[in-house]
Structure formats: structure tokens, C-alpha cells
Amino acid sequence: MSIPAPAPHLSMTSSAIALRERARSLGVDLENLPQHIAIIMDGNGRWAKARGFARLLGHREGYRALRGILLAASELGVRYLTVYAFSVENWRRPQDEVMGLMKLIEQAARDELRLMHQNNVRVNITGRVHEVPETLQRALREGMETTSTNTGITFTLAVNYGGRAEITDAVKAIVRNGTPADEITEEMISENLYNPHQPDPDLMVRTAGEMRWSNFLIWQSAYTELVVSEVSWPDFKPDHLIEAVKTYQARVRKFGAVVE
Ligand code: FPP
């Protein structure tokens, strides 16, 4: 696919200036943004059910919400956004929902590539992606290749992802390398995760009210601040993201130490 490259020195768009101004007016410190935000996009099914729609329609609206939040995070100046699109446990859902989700993620990867590239977004994936349908793998690979030299926000889609699976895969790689058990360190495990060069999330947002981690980035989130929003994912708007960032900024991060 031939897509025009982003401008070499992207200046801030008027929409980014307006969003940053709005965030500032709502009390966000733009100099102290979370570098990496992870999102558990929950509540699509409940959102659809409450309206008498099929669950897949909720996911479709979730896709729409994601487009807005990715652009907002990018405009605010967040460096990494990682979203939970499909977990290793989600295969337990009805077959039509599973296949519908696979197709939706593939469609999004194809249809949004131009917009993401123009916005200097770098697309990335995490998870056991080799187990998803071949056409989806191709769309994701094309997204990564096309945007690999972009310098804006890194947008990571977690597809067929599980935190325990990721840690298990890391340990397998270490053992395969012949490392003696006594020499295995935390750093070694971190270095063998799917995206070893990404910083840990500073902020994890979960929508639709549940207070669970659901096996998302469990190694990387040891000291991540969790913010739970009552809003269902399809209704989650840039102002909700700004609210979550404000909540994050009011927290005192101690990393196990004493902070006076
Ligand atoms: C959880 O809601 C959501 C998911 C399992 C899928 C997330 C997928 C999207 C937001 C669709 C678009 C994604 C991309 C990358 C285009 P749920 O179905 O568990 O909601 P419920 O708890 O209310 O049933």
C-alpha cells in the first residue's frame, strides 16, 4: 500500500493545541503527563445489551471510541498507549463474537492505517499474534512496517494477549538460552517480554467499573496507578481520559519507598 509519509517535522495541529488548552483548563499539568497509558476497554457488551443491540455492535462502537482516544492521547503528548483488544481468555466467547472481533480488529488495522500514519503514530502489537487468523496478522504487520519510523505516540494493540502467557513465554526463552536457574533475574524477565524496550505503564485505565487487572500487563504494572471509570468504553471520550490523567496526577507514587 502506498501511503504518503507524515510531514518530517510535524508542528502541533490546531486540534492538539485546543485539546491541550482544555486539559490545562481542567487542571492537568501538561509537564507531568503519564508517559505510558494502558487501557482495559471494558463494557462494550453491557453497552450494547442496555440498548437492545447485539454485542458486536458494542465492539463496533468501541472501535469508534478508540479512534477518538488514540488521537486525544497523541495530541495531549502521551508517548505510549497500549490497549487490550483481545485476551488469550477471550477465545472462550461465542464463536461469532470471536470471529467478529478478529474481523473488526483487522478492518480497523487496515482502515485506520492512513490516519495513524499521517498523525505520526507508530503502530505496535503485543501478544501471541502468530495464533490469530493469517489475514489479521498480515494487516497488523503492514501497520507496523508502514509506521515503523514514525516518531509520535507508540500505539500498541494487545491481541491474543495474556500477562501470564507473556511471563511464561519470557521464562521459556530464558531457559532455552541455557541460563542456570540461580542466574535468572527480574531484569532478565523484563528483557524477554514481548516489548522489552517500552517503559512500564504509569497509568492503567479500566472502563465500566470493574476493579480487576484481568491478566493485562501484570508484570509491567507492579507500580502502575489504576484508575477505574464507571463509563462504558463506547461512551469513553477525551474528557474522560483527561479526568483519568488528573486523578493520576493527584496520586503520590512511592514505588515501595517512604515519601514525605
Ligand atoms: C471488553 O468488553 C472488550 C473486549 C473484549 C474487546 C475490546 C475491543 C474493542 C474495543 C473493539 C475495537 C478494537 C479494535 C482494536 C478495533 P466486554 O465485551 O467484555 O464488555 P462486557 O463486560 O460489558 O460484556
Side-chain angles (χ1 to χ4, degrees), residues 7-19:
H9 301 290
L10 282 177
S11 52
M12 214 179 277
T13 61
S14 54
S15 143
I17 292 167
L19 189 76

Side-chain angles (χ1 to χ4, degrees), residues 197-254:
H197 304 300
Q198 287 199 3
D200 291 342
D202 303 294
L203 166 62
M204 168 91 70
V205 177
R206 179 168 188 144
T207 60
E210 310 281 359
M211 304 274 182
R212 283 192 289 276
W213 238 262
S214 295
N215 202 14
F216 192 37
L217 302 175
I218 50 175
W219 177 274
Q220 299 89 332
S221 293
Y223 288 102
T224 297
E225 295 295 327
L226 177 63
V227 172
V228 174
S229 166
E230 291 301 320
V231 175
S232 289
W233 177 250
D235 287 333
F236 199 78
K237 300 281 184 298
D239 269 8
H240 298 118
L241 181 70
I242 288 172
E243 197 52 46
V245 170
K246 246 183 83 178
T247 305
Y248 161 83
Q249 290 184 334
R251 303 264 177 91
V252 179
R253 302 187 74 187
K254 298 200 268 191

Side-chain angles (χ1 to χ4, degrees), residues 169-218:
D169 288 347
V171 173
K172 280 183 187 167
I174 293 168
V175 171
R176 238 182 255 122
N177 279 343
T179 312
D182 286 345
E183 287 177 23
I184 296 177
T185 61
E186 290 186 11
E187 288 70 28
M188 222 179 262
I189 293 178
S190 294
E191 282 160 15
N192 281 279
L193 297 177
Y194 300 142
N195 285 299
H197 304 300
Q198 287 199 3
D200 291 342
D202 303 294
L203 166 62
M204 168 91 70
V205 177
R206 179 168 188 144
T207 60
E210 310 281 359
M211 304 274 182
R212 283 192 289 276
W213 238 262
S214 295
N215 202 14
F216 192 37
L217 302 175
I218 50 175

Side-chain angles (χ1 to χ4, degrees), residues 82-152:
T82 303
V83 299
Y84 212 176
F86 192 90
S87 76
V88 289
E89 289 83 13
N90 286 152
W91 296 104
R92 297 177 192 150
R93 294 186 175 210
Q95 184 69 2
D96 62 336
E97 182 172 347
V98 168
M99 290 329 289
L101 271 169
M102 293 290 154
K103 286 203 182 103
L104 189 60
I105 298 169
E106 184 181 333
Q107 182 195 340
R110 292 192 196 289
D111 292 356
E112 305 303 324
L113 182 51
R114 177 180 292 265
L115 182 70
M116 289 194 283
H117 195 37
Q118 281 167 353
N119 281 280
N120 203 18
V121 174
R122 183 170 180 183
V123 178
N124 186 35
I125 47 179
T126 185
R128 289 179 172 167
V129 183
H130 58 279
E131 292 172 356
V132 305
E134 186 61 41
T135 52
L136 173 55
Q137 290 185 41
R138 267 204 299 277
L140 294 170
R141 252 197 321 269
E142 184 175 346
M144 286 204 300
E145 282 161 14
T146 306
T147 62
S148 64
T149 56
N150 287 352
T151 54

